Amino acid sequence: MKLVVAILIVMVAVCGNVISQEGFQNYHQSSQLGMASPGAFRYGLNGYDNPAVLGTLSFTDLLFYTTQPDRNANGFRQWGLFGGFTSSYGLGTMLGVHHERLGMDNSTTFTIGNGSGNQNFSWGYALGFVNNEGSTFQRNSFLRLGTLVRPSEYLSIGVHGTSTLVRSEPIYEFVGDVGIRPFSSAFLTLFGDVAWRNKDFIQYNATNSSMTYSVGGVIEPFDGIRISGRYFNTEQLSIGLQVSLGNIGVSTQSTRSTAGNGGDGFLTYGIRAGGLDRTITSAEPTFKHYRSISMAGGIKYQRFQVLDNSRTLLEFLEQLELIKNDENVRGVVLNLAGMSFPRAMLWEVKQKIKEIKQKGKKIVVFIDRLSMDNYAFASYADKIVMDPMGSMTFAGYNFGKTYMKGLYDKLGVGVDELRFFKYKSAAETEARETMSEGDREQLTRLAESFYAEIKSEITTNRKITPELFESLVNDSLEILPKTALALGLVDSLGRWETVENTVNDLEYKKSIFPSKVKTPIVNKTYEKPAFEFTDNKWSKPYPKHRIAIVYAIGGTSLYSGIEAVNLSRIIKNIVSSSYYDAIVLRVDSPGGDALAADLVAEELKKAKGKKPIIVTQGSVAASGGYWLSMYSDTILATPSTITGSIGVISLYMYDKGAKEKTGITTDNVKVGNKADIGFGPFGLLANQPLSPQDRKLRENTILSLYDDFVSKVASGRGMKEDDVREVAQGRVWTGTDGLDKKLVDEIGGIERAIALAKQQAKIPADEEVEIVEFPNPKFIDLNQFVPSIISVDASTELLKEMSETLTKMKNDSGKYLYTLPYDTYESLKDILYNFNQK
């Protein structure tokens, strides 16, 4: 949005100082690129024609059209590129370029605009800048205002007007268009539009009249297959065809003169890319079937606006909810090949699978190679099919670290770990040779908790003895398919293509009158409600209530990670707006900078009592990540969430012979007794250790910060400070243990958090709410275009960010760390994954 505002300012400045000579292209000339009037067909030209349609846009969409004379093929007659972009603030933005060649003259129009609203009513504006090149060079500018009203699902009415900005005799144009859907659906749309202009554009208008109109219709016999016909009173007839392929689409039109001279015909070609559109496979099957889902790849919270078809958590949970409630779905087939879900998200998906089973639907799972965690997920299936060349490992859990003290000793680097809390181990890998007692205790508890949870699931679901499970973990390295089958870990061996046999066997046994009729397996996603196309119905009742989902993903940093400066503004705006009834904050953060965490937490504290605030913790919500959570009304965590870590630590690294060994020297001048604390070679080492007095000052600062942290937690959680101290000391807890220690209120995921938000906002449980997600998704992931050998994924960036924080902490007297141990990669790998998928 900042870029859009900047472009607007520049264009206003430029356009306000040019002299308008020839006006602007008239409506029916540019509308020849489209198949129908803007209010009648999808989103028109993404707001280039009527900017009000931007208010109905629900996804980013890019259109490119070009026309070419069909007889004199000597170049393009006109082309246009129109982009429509959406944001979480209900505001649509359009950037458009339109170029036309008229004889020896060329005209290029640059347009930017915004629109807001919904399917019932929307409005918008656009600012245009035109270059006319020919015998003389002329520039001009214009302003376009529009509105779109859809009082019912049968009727759409659009009005927009355009006027030059600077001209002694302004040129202006008014356009009205009407669309009618006799059957209320997109099957048949009839439309008509009329444009009146105070000055004629003779080069185009064959009738030499200031008023033009067109009438026509669009039929969509099958989803995504559209045929159009349109008559212009300029004695032209256009016939078009558009085919949607989901996220892309192609179209072609043929325009001919009806005057009988056979001239002035041209062809139009178009391509669309971006948001999901209806396709011929969109229609939901009405027969009994199994729904097939590939779990390959990962899952994340938000996808990029363009060129990203990744799976997101909320949408995936909605898909499973629709499967659960679809009476035509008898079961689900899950292909776990290549699945890589974070443990917390996998638990949330697992709860939906259990709900589907409780509805009496069958679950069939295909596996090839998988870990113990993924097998625990697969164990909820009625039948497991394993690839004959697959394998599984029951390796247990290992949390280990690499310690650097021995290396630093050899390099002549001294390390002072300013640690005053038993479990706050973020810096011990720099200062120790082995694991501390406190860290060993807490990591052992994490490993044992994860192990007990997985063991219970697998032994219960697959009905194997605890002794067999222990044997698989302790006495085997890899379990091959035949062994897995013999031990009852899987039900059959076969490739993915054989899964349908398992489905048919299940249905055969389930039937009252057994028959060997095949049960279809359908591989498709639902297109509603999360994927509902906003042009399916022109008018619809909108939910009266809205819940804001805010994602705090990554390290607690001001401008990276959770981007605390921006996130705090978002929360402040949500709280001050009557548009939202409640806030659900999803936290997946190992902590970092206390200032960043407190910026966000402070806004949540101010919001308390004004709107319900529910926190749902993902894989990690520890230290600074817990700071983000503590002022909420309710905190939810999954059983394996890593939470807590209420503590502060610092590290000081200094020269202990390194300069002598390397020949490096330093020199300095200072004003102030403590100005040179931390000064040393390259800013990495201090020249000398902390004096006893300075170390005591740092200790007092850390203890003071810790007391402040404990006090804030006690205030936010409604606990006594002594009770907080008993579970603090920098110790991490699982979500289950956190519930016992009153650090969290309930075991649950994001779906449960939304239900609680509705409940606390006094919204009836069966009433529909609109979910609005923040921050606005980033536009595009440029990393996908970089060769993998040199690309840097976001998990690497998070590690780098944490490493930089640690480095700053070493010598900067004002830096203290509120984070998990940097080197506990096993504990961090889920959040690293989530950050990478952000």
Side-chain angles (χ1 to χ4, degrees), residues 115-132:
S116 183
N118 54 42
Q119 287 298 98
N120 303 327
F121 173 79
S122 60
W123 62 273
Y125 68 91
L127 185 65
F129 175 59
V130 186
N131 277 340
N132 292 311

mmCIF file with all atom_site columns, all heavy atoms in Angstrom, residues 115-132:
data_model
loop_
_atom_site.group_PDB
_atom_site.id
_atom_site.type_symbol
_atom_site.label_atom_id
_atom_site.label_alt_id
_atom_site.label_comp_id
_atom_site.label_asym_id
_atom_site.label_entity_id
_atom_site.label_seq_id
_atom_site.pdbx_PDB_ins_code
_atom_site.Cartn_x
_atom_site.Cartn_y
_atom_site.Cartn_z
_atom_site.occupancy
_atom_site.B_iso_or_equiv
_atom_site.pdbx_formal_charge
_atom_site.auth_seq_id
_atom_site.auth_comp_id
_atom_site.auth_asym_id
_atom_site.auth_atom_id
_atom_site.pdbx_PDB_model_num
ATOM 1   N N   . GLY A 1 115 ? -10.493 0.723   -4.852  1.00 0.00 ? 115 GLY A N   1
ATOM 2   C CA  . GLY A 1 115 ? -11.915 0.490   -4.680  1.00 0.00 ? 115 GLY A CA  1
ATOM 3   C C   . GLY A 1 115 ? -12.174 -0.230  -3.378  1.00 0.00 ? 115 GLY A C   1
ATOM 4   O O   . GLY A 1 115 ? -11.327 -0.969  -2.874  1.00 0.00 ? 115 GLY A O   1
ATOM 5   N N   . SER A 1 116 ? -13.339 -0.023  -2.815  1.00 0.00 ? 116 SER A N   1
ATOM 6   C CA  . SER A 1 116 ? -13.689 -0.658  -1.559  1.00 0.00 ? 116 SER A CA  1
ATOM 7   C C   . SER A 1 116 ? -15.169 -1.002  -1.572  1.00 0.00 ? 116 SER A C   1
ATOM 8   O O   . SER A 1 116 ? -15.955 -0.400  -2.310  1.00 0.00 ? 116 SER A O   1
ATOM 9   C CB  . SER A 1 116 ? -13.363 0.271   -0.378  1.00 0.00 ? 116 SER A CB  1
ATOM 10  O OG  . SER A 1 116 ? -13.639 -0.367  0.851   1.00 0.00 ? 116 SER A OG  1
ATOM 11  N N   . GLY A 1 117 ? -15.529 -1.986  -0.748  1.00 0.00 ? 117 GLY A N   1
ATOM 12  C CA  . GLY A 1 117 ? -16.924 -2.384  -0.662  1.00 0.00 ? 117 GLY A CA  1
ATOM 13  C C   . GLY A 1 117 ? -17.070 -3.882  -0.589  1.00 0.00 ? 117 GLY A C   1
ATOM 14  O O   . GLY A 1 117 ? -16.177 -4.599  -0.139  1.00 0.00 ? 117 GLY A O   1
ATOM 15  N N   . ASN A 1 118 ? -18.219 -4.367  -1.069  1.00 0.00 ? 118 ASN A N   1
ATOM 16  C CA  . ASN A 1 118 ? -18.483 -5.802  -1.068  1.00 0.00 ? 118 ASN A CA  1
ATOM 17  C C   . ASN A 1 118 ? -19.357 -6.144  -2.262  1.00 0.00 ? 118 ASN A C   1
ATOM 18  O O   . ASN A 1 118 ? -19.512 -5.339  -3.179  1.00 0.00 ? 118 ASN A O   1
ATOM 19  C CB  . ASN A 1 118 ? -19.131 -6.232  0.253   1.00 0.00 ? 118 ASN A CB  1
ATOM 20  C CG  . ASN A 1 118 ? -20.382 -5.404  0.570   1.00 0.00 ? 118 ASN A CG  1
ATOM 21  O OD1 . ASN A 1 118 ? -21.195 -5.122  -0.317  1.00 0.00 ? 118 ASN A OD1 1
ATOM 22  N ND2 . ASN A 1 118 ? -20.534 -5.017  1.824   1.00 0.00 ? 118 ASN A ND2 1
ATOM 23  N N   . GLN A 1 119 ? -19.946 -7.329  -2.231  1.00 0.00 ? 119 GLN A N   1
ATOM 24  C CA  . GLN A 1 119 ? -20.742 -7.782  -3.373  1.00 0.00 ? 119 GLN A CA  1
ATOM 25  C C   . GLN A 1 119 ? -22.035 -6.994  -3.539  1.00 0.00 ? 119 GLN A C   1
ATOM 26  O O   . GLN A 1 119 ? -22.628 -7.017  -4.614  1.00 0.00 ? 119 GLN A O   1
ATOM 27  C CB  . GLN A 1 119 ? -21.075 -9.266  -3.214  1.00 0.00 ? 119 GLN A CB  1
ATOM 28  C CG  . GLN A 1 119 ? -19.900 -10.197 -3.442  1.00 0.00 ? 119 GLN A CG  1
ATOM 29  C CD  . GLN A 1 119 ? -19.378 -10.079 -4.857  1.00 0.00 ? 119 GLN A CD  1
ATOM 30  O OE1 . GLN A 1 119 ? -18.412 -9.383  -5.110  1.00 0.00 ? 119 GLN A OE1 1
ATOM 31  N NE2 . GLN A 1 119 ? -20.010 -10.761 -5.790  1.00 0.00 ? 119 GLN A NE2 1
ATOM 32  N N   . ASN A 1 120 ? -22.479 -6.308  -2.528  1.00 0.00 ? 120 ASN A N   1
ATOM 33  C CA  . ASN A 1 120 ? -23.736 -5.563  -2.610  1.00 0.00 ? 120 ASN A CA  1
ATOM 34  C C   . ASN A 1 120 ? -23.542 -4.114  -3.057  1.00 0.00 ? 120 ASN A C   1
ATOM 35  O O   . ASN A 1 120 ? -24.350 -3.573  -3.794  1.00 0.00 ? 120 ASN A O   1
ATOM 36  C CB  . ASN A 1 120 ? -24.436 -5.590  -1.240  1.00 0.00 ? 120 ASN A CB  1
ATOM 37  C CG  . ASN A 1 120 ? -24.680 -7.003  -0.763  1.00 0.00 ? 120 ASN A CG  1
ATOM 38  O OD1 . ASN A 1 120 ? -24.924 -7.896  -1.562  1.00 0.00 ? 120 ASN A OD1 1
ATOM 39  N ND2 . ASN A 1 120 ? -24.609 -7.223  0.547   1.00 0.00 ? 120 ASN A ND2 1
ATOM 40  N N   . PHE A 1 121 ? -22.470 -3.522  -2.566  1.00 0.00 ? 121 PHE A N   1
ATOM 41  C CA  . PHE A 1 121 ? -22.208 -2.130  -2.933  1.00 0.00 ? 121 PHE A CA  1
ATOM 42  C C   . PHE A 1 121 ? -20.711 -1.879  -2.873  1.00 0.00 ? 121 PHE A C   1
ATOM 43  O O   . PHE A 1 121 ? -20.041 -2.279  -1.918  1.00 0.00 ? 121 PHE A O   1
ATOM 44  C CB  . PHE A 1 121 ? -22.929 -1.162  -1.992  1.00 0.00 ? 121 PHE A CB  1
ATOM 45  C CG  . PHE A 1 121 ? -22.562 0.284   -2.236  1.00 0.00 ? 121 PHE A CG  1
ATOM 46  C CD1 . PHE A 1 121 ? -23.142 0.984   -3.287  1.00 0.00 ? 121 PHE A CD1 1
ATOM 47  C CD2 . PHE A 1 121 ? -21.627 0.926   -1.443  1.00 0.00 ? 121 PHE A CD2 1
ATOM 48  C CE1 . PHE A 1 121 ? -22.800 2.307   -3.536  1.00 0.00 ? 121 PHE A CE1 1
ATOM 49  C CE2 . PHE A 1 121 ? -21.266 2.242   -1.677  1.00 0.00 ? 121 PHE A CE2 1
ATOM 50  C CZ  . PHE A 1 121 ? -21.865 2.942   -2.731  1.00 0.00 ? 121 PHE A CZ  1
ATOM 51  N N   . SER A 1 122 ? -20.197 -1.178  -3.877  1.00 0.00 ? 122 SER A N   1
ATOM 52  C CA  . SER A 1 122 ? -18.787 -0.825  -3.882  1.00 0.00 ? 122 SER A CA  1
ATOM 53  C C   . SER A 1 122 ? -18.591 0.485   -4.621  1.00 0.00 ? 122 SER A C   1
ATOM 54  O O   . SER A 1 122 ? -19.438 0.921   -5.398  1.00 0.00 ? 122 SER A O   1
ATOM 55  C CB  . SER A 1 122 ? -17.943 -1.936  -4.524  1.00 0.00 ? 122 SER A CB  1
ATOM 56  O OG  . SER A 1 122 ? -18.333 -2.161  -5.863  1.00 0.00 ? 122 SER A OG  1
ATOM 57  N N   . TRP A 1 123 ? -17.464 1.095   -4.356  1.00 0.00 ? 123 TRP A N   1
ATOM 58  C CA  . TRP A 1 123 ? -17.126 2.359   -5.007  1.00 0.00 ? 123 TRP A CA  1
ATOM 59  C C   . TRP A 1 123 ? -15.620 2.359   -5.290  1.00 0.00 ? 123 TRP A C   1
ATOM 60  O O   . TRP A 1 123 ? -14.870 1.563   -4.726  1.00 0.00 ? 123 TRP A O   1
ATOM 61  C CB  . TRP A 1 123 ? -17.481 3.555   -4.126  1.00 0.00 ? 123 TRP A CB  1
ATOM 62  C CG  . TRP A 1 123 ? -16.719 3.561   -2.828  1.00 0.00 ? 123 TRP A CG  1
ATOM 63  C CD1 . TRP A 1 123 ? -17.061 2.950   -1.665  1.00 0.00 ? 123 TRP A CD1 1
ATOM 64  C CD2 . TRP A 1 123 ? -15.448 4.172   -2.598  1.00 0.00 ? 123 TRP A CD2 1
ATOM 65  N NE1 . TRP A 1 123 ? -16.096 3.129   -0.708  1.00 0.00 ? 123 TRP A NE1 1
ATOM 66  C CE2 . TRP A 1 123 ? -15.091 3.884   -1.244  1.00 0.00 ? 123 TRP A CE2 1
ATOM 67  C CE3 . TRP A 1 123 ? -14.570 4.924   -3.382  1.00 0.00 ? 123 TRP A CE3 1
ATOM 68  C CZ2 . TRP A 1 123 ? -13.899 4.321   -0.685  1.00 0.00 ? 123 TRP A CZ2 1
ATOM 69  C CZ3 . TRP A 1 123 ? -13.370 5.373   -2.817  1.00 0.00 ? 123 TRP A CZ3 1
ATOM 70  C CH2 . TRP A 1 123 ? -13.062 5.072   -1.483  1.00 0.00 ? 123 TRP A CH2 1
ATOM 71  N N   . GLY A 1 124 ? -15.194 3.279   -6.156  1.00 0.00 ? 124 GLY A N   1
ATOM 72  C CA  . GLY A 1 124 ? -13.779 3.337   -6.459  1.00 0.00 ? 124 GLY A CA  1
ATOM 73  C C   . GLY A 1 124 ? -13.409 4.580   -7.248  1.00 0.00 ? 124 GLY A C   1
ATOM 74  O O   . GLY A 1 124 ? -14.281 5.307   -7.735  1.00 0.00 ? 124 GLY A O   1
ATOM 75  N N   . TYR A 1 125 ? -12.127 4.816   -7.311  1.00 0.00 ? 125 TYR A N   1
ATOM 76  C CA  . TYR A 1 125 ? -11.616 5.946   -8.089  1.00 0.00 ? 125 TYR A CA  1
ATOM 77  C C   . TYR A 1 125 ? -10.338 5.515   -8.791  1.00 0.00 ? 125 TYR A C   1
ATOM 78  O O   . TYR A 1 125 ? -9.667  4.572   -8.374  1.00 0.00 ? 125 TYR A O   1
ATOM 79  C CB  . TYR A 1 125 ? -11.319 7.145   -7.174  1.00 0.00 ? 125 TYR A CB  1
ATOM 80  C CG  . TYR A 1 125 ? -10.162 6.914   -6.244  1.00 0.00 ? 125 TYR A CG  1
ATOM 81  C CD1 . TYR A 1 125 ? -8.864  7.255   -6.618  1.00 0.00 ? 125 TYR A CD1 1
ATOM 82  C CD2 . TYR A 1 125 ? -10.365 6.342   -4.995  1.00 0.00 ? 125 TYR A CD2 1
ATOM 83  C CE1 . TYR A 1 125 ? -7.797  7.027   -5.779  1.00 0.00 ? 125 TYR A CE1 1
ATOM 84  C CE2 . TYR A 1 125 ? -9.304  6.114   -4.135  1.00 0.00 ? 125 TYR A CE2 1
ATOM 85  C CZ  . TYR A 1 125 ? -8.022  6.453   -4.532  1.00 0.00 ? 125 TYR A CZ  1
ATOM 86  O OH  . TYR A 1 125 ? -6.954  6.215   -3.699  1.00 0.00 ? 125 TYR A OH  1
ATOM 87  N N   . ALA A 1 126 ? -10.007 6.232   -9.858  1.00 0.00 ? 126 ALA A N   1
ATOM 88  C CA  . ALA A 1 126 ? -8.776  5.949   -10.595 1.00 0.00 ? 126 ALA A CA  1
ATOM 89  C C   . ALA A 1 126 ? -8.218  7.253   -11.148 1.00 0.00 ? 126 ALA A C   1
ATOM 90  O O   . ALA A 1 126 ? -8.974  8.164   -11.511 1.00 0.00 ? 126 ALA A O   1
ATOM 91  C CB  . ALA A 1 126 ? -9.023  4.964   -11.721 1.00 0.00 ? 126 ALA A CB  1
ATOM 92  N N   . LEU A 1 127 ? -6.910  7.327   -11.190 1.00 0.00 ? 127 LEU A N   1
ATOM 93  C CA  . LEU A 1 127 ? -6.218  8.478   -11.746 1.00 0.00 ? 127 LEU A CA  1
ATOM 94  C C   . LEU A 1 127 ? -5.427  8.005   -12.950 1.00 0.00 ? 127 LEU A C   1
ATOM 95  O O   . LEU A 1 127 ? -4.700  7.013   -12.871 1.00 0.00 ? 127 LEU A O   1
ATOM 96  C CB  . LEU A 1 127 ? -5.288  9.088   -10.697 1.00 0.00 ? 127 LEU A CB  1
ATOM 97  C CG  . LEU A 1 127 ? -4.560  10.373  -11.072 1.00 0.00 ? 127 LEU A CG  1
ATOM 98  C CD1 . LEU A 1 127 ? -5.536  11.516  -11.280 1.00 0.00 ? 127 LEU A CD1 1
ATOM 99  C CD2 . LEU A 1 127 ? -3.548  10.736  -9.971  1.00 0.00 ? 127 LEU A CD2 1
ATOM 100 N N   . GLY A 1 128 ? -5.589  8.698   -14.083 1.00 0.00 ? 128 GLY A N   1
ATOM 101 C CA  . GLY A 1 128 ? -4.927  8.276   -15.308 1.00 0.00 ? 128 GLY A CA  1
ATOM 102 C C   . GLY A 1 128 ? -4.009  9.339   -15.876 1.00 0.00 ? 128 GLY A C   1
ATOM 103 O O   . GLY A 1 128 ? -4.226  10.545  -15.713 1.00 0.00 ? 128 GLY A O   1
ATOM 104 N N   . PHE A 1 129 ? -2.976  8.863   -16.540 1.00 0.00 ? 129 PHE A N   1
ATOM 105 C CA  . PHE A 1 129 ? -1.999  9.747   -17.179 1.00 0.00 ? 129 PHE A CA  1
ATOM 106 C C   . PHE A 1 129 ? -1.781  9.234   -18.591 1.00 0.00 ? 129 PHE A C   1
ATOM 107 O O   . PHE A 1 129 ? -1.443  8.062   -18.794 1.00 0.00 ? 129 PHE A O   1
ATOM 108 C CB  . PHE A 1 129 ? -0.698  9.734   -16.381 1.00 0.00 ? 129 PHE A CB  1
ATOM 109 C CG  . PHE A 1 129 ? 0.414   10.514  -17.002 1.00 0.00 ? 129 PHE A CG  1
ATOM 110 C CD1 . PHE A 1 129 ? 0.277   11.860  -17.258 1.00 0.00 ? 129 PHE A CD1 1
ATOM 111 C CD2 . PHE A 1 129 ? 1.619   9.892   -17.315 1.00 0.00 ? 129 PHE A CD2 1
ATOM 112 C CE1 . PHE A 1 129 ? 1.316   12.583  -17.824 1.00 0.00 ? 129 PHE A CE1 1
ATOM 113 C CE2 . PHE A 1 129 ? 2.666   10.607  -17.885 1.00 0.00 ? 129 PHE A CE2 1
ATOM 114 C CZ  . PHE A 1 129 ? 2.510   11.961  -18.134 1.00 0.00 ? 129 PHE A CZ  1
ATOM 115 N N   . VAL A 1 130 ? -1.984  10.078  -19.585 1.00 0.00 ? 130 VAL A N   1
ATOM 116 C CA  . VAL A 1 130 ? -1.984  9.669   -20.983 1.00 0.00 ? 130 VAL A CA  1
ATOM 117 C C   . VAL A 1 130 ? -0.858  10.352  -21.748 1.00 0.00 ? 130 VAL A C   1
ATOM 118 O O   . VAL A 1 130 ? -0.669  11.567  -21.632 1.00 0.00 ? 130 VAL A O   1
ATOM 119 C CB  . VAL A 1 130 ? -3.333  9.995   -21.661 1.00 0.00 ? 130 VAL A CB  1
ATOM 120 C CG1 . VAL A 1 130 ? -3.371  9.438   -23.082 1.00 0.00 ? 130 VAL A CG1 1
ATOM 121 C CG2 . VAL A 1 130 ? -4.495  9.451   -20.845 1.00 0.00 ? 130 VAL A CG2 1
ATOM 122 N N   . ASN A 1 131 ? -0.143  9.555   -22.522 1.00 0.00 ? 131 ASN A N   1
ATOM 123 C CA  . ASN A 1 131 ? 0.835   10.076  -23.482 1.00 0.00 ? 131 ASN A CA  1
ATOM 124 C C   . ASN A 1 131 ? 0.296   9.845   -24.882 1.00 0.00 ? 131 ASN A C   1
ATOM 125 O O   . ASN A 1 131 ? 0.013   8.704   -25.253 1.00 0.00 ? 131 ASN A O   1
ATOM 126 C CB  . ASN A 1 131 ? 2.181   9.358   -23.354 1.00 0.00 ? 131 ASN A CB  1
ATOM 127 C CG  . ASN A 1 131 ? 3.036   9.944   -22.247 1.00 0.00 ? 131 ASN A CG  1
ATOM 128 O OD1 . ASN A 1 131 ? 2.835   11.067  -21.824 1.00 0.00 ? 131 ASN A OD1 1
ATOM 129 N ND2 . ASN A 1 131 ? 3.986   9.153   -21.773 1.00 0.00 ? 131 ASN A ND2 1
ATOM 130 N N   . ASN A 1 132 ? 0.161   10.901  -25.670 1.00 0.00 ? 132 ASN A N   1
ATOM 131 C CA  . ASN A 1 132 ? -0.231  10.784  -27.068 1.00 0.00 ? 132 ASN A CA  1
ATOM 132 C C   . ASN A 1 132 ? 0.972   11.145  -27.931 1.00 0.00 ? 132 ASN A C   1
ATOM 133 O O   . ASN A 1 132 ? 1.510   12.252  -27.835 1.00 0.00 ? 132 ASN A O   1
ATOM 134 C CB  . ASN A 1 132 ? -1.394  11.738  -27.390 1.00 0.00 ? 132 ASN A CB  1
ATOM 135 C CG  . ASN A 1 132 ? -2.666  11.327  -26.691 1.00 0.00 ? 132 ASN A CG  1
ATOM 136 O OD1 . ASN A 1 132 ? -3.054  10.164  -26.742 1.00 0.00 ? 132 ASN A OD1 1
ATOM 137 N ND2 . ASN A 1 132 ? -3.314  12.279  -26.015 1.00 0.00 ? 132 ASN A ND2 1
#
